[in-house]
Amino acid sequence: GEDVEQSLFLSVREGDSSVINCTYTDSSSTYLYWYKQEPGAGLQLLTYIFSNMDMKQDQRLTVLLNKKDKHLSLRIADTQTGDSAIYFCAESIPDKLIFGTGTRLQVFP
Amino acid sequence: GAVVSQHPSRVICKSGTSVKIECRSLDFQATTMFWYRQFPKQSLMLMATSNEGSKATYEQGVEKDKFLINHASLTLSTLTVTSAHPEDSSFYICSARVAGDFTQYFGPGTRLTVL
């Protein structure tokens, strides 16, 4: 079945690193995504990783994929208050995206 | 690039009326568009997938006669909520993608409130 889970809440101090975790169940995923949603807004694509990759780095963002354990993580280096938002992971099962439950990241000074 | 717009951003209507929401891809041609629904503090639930020029494919449990989807061109899809009821109040988000690309680009969402 299709099930994507995330922890609901993460609180970090400004300047620290944030790590948001995601587990999924469908091994046929082709791409895995991280989206950011600010209050009352749509989803902003942050980054994605192809299922045959282990790691992808894009400026402050690092995505790690453990395909064996079906575990995906997003690390945000030097977290800023502007990073406060809800972060969704999503797996692409060819024709559609299955979203995780979302992790609310709160950054405090 | 890859900008998707939605109109309106917010709508309030009376119970029993119909509401149309537009989704446009501004700088690319979207062969496929998706409509999602998001309840407060919850994740996105896929309602339907629409391909340009063909009928939409609805997810299980979504009433196709209530949520009418039209994808008449490569840059426009519309979602019409017919005979809206208060339980239809939600945040509706569309996304679009190009043929051969798995990535979906999302619109800013439409907040529907049915009184």
Side-chain angles (χ1 to χ4, degrees):
Chain A
E2 308 155 349
D3 196 14
V4 182
E5 295 198 359
Q6 300 175 234
S7 51
L8 291 179
F9 191 77
L10 177 65
S11 180
V12 299
R13 189 181 300 276
E14 189 174 18
D16 288 352
S17 292
S18 309
V19 179
I20 303 171
N21 295 300
C22 171
T23 57
Y24 59 97
T25 56
D26 197 310
S27 57
S28 65
S29 303
T30 46
Y31 287 91
L32 294 121
Y33 298 85
W34 284 103
Y35 286 90
K36 176 183 179 182
Q37 185 179 36
E38 299 191 38
L43 272 69
Q44 174 193 352
L45 176 64
L46 289 178
T47 187
Y48 63 91
I49 188 168
F50 190 50
S51 58
N52 68 355
M53 296 170 64
D54 299 324
M55 187 192 86
K56 181 179 179 181
Q57 186 161 1
D58 184 2
Q59 299 184 329
R60 292 192 298 125
L61 306 178
T62 302
V63 179
L64 294 178
L65 175 61
N66 181 329
K67 200 171 180 181
K68 174 176 167 290
D69 294 338
K70 298 189 182 69
H71 182 265
L72 180 75
S73 69
L74 173 69
R75 178 177 180 270
I76 305 172
D78 187 25
T79 312
Q80 303 297 306
T81 54
D83 295 324
S84 294
I86 300 176
Y87 290 80
F88 290 96
C89 65
E91 57 173 341
S92 171
I93 303 172
D95 287 337
K96 59 184 182 180
L97 288 180
I98 306 299
F99 282 88
T101 46
T103 299
R104 182 177 297 274
L105 174 64
Q106 183 176 22
V107 183
F108 58 93
Chain B
V3 179
V4 177
S5 70
Q6 280 184 243
H7 178 80
S9 57
R10 186 180 294 265
V11 57
I12 301 173
C13 69
K14 291 183 179 179
S15 188
T17 61
S18 293
V19 174
K20 181 185 282 189
I21 303 169
E22 292 185 349
C23 176
R24 292 182 186 273
S25 56
L26 298 185
D27 52 2
F28 66 101
Q29 293 189 323
T31 48
T32 306
M33 287 185 168
F34 302 84
W35 286 96
Y36 294 84
R37 184 173 180 175
Q38 185 181 32
F39 290 105
K41 293 184 169 46
Q42 293 189 28
S43 189
L44 281 74
M45 286 180 46
L46 179 65
M47 298 174 66
T49 302
S50 74
N51 292 296
E52 185 263 339
S54 61
K55 287 184 180 179
T57 302
Y58 290 81
E59 295 297 300
Q60 194 171 5
V62 177
E63 298 175 60
K64 62 180 181 180
D65 294 330
K66 181 167 184 61
F67 298 100
L68 301 178
I69 292 171
N70 184 279
H71 191 164
S73 77
L74 286 171
T75 58
L76 174 64
S77 175
T78 59
L79 167 68
T80 302
V81 183
T82 61
S83 187
H85 287 98
E87 57 265 31
D88 298 325
S89 298
S90 190
F91 194 52
Y92 292 87
I93 307 177
C94 72
S95 70
R97 75 172 187 209
V98 179
D101 185 355
F102 289 108
T103 302
Q104 294 182 27
Y105 300 94
F106 284 79
T110 297
R111 170 80 54 197
L112 170 64
T113 303
V114 184
L115 302 177

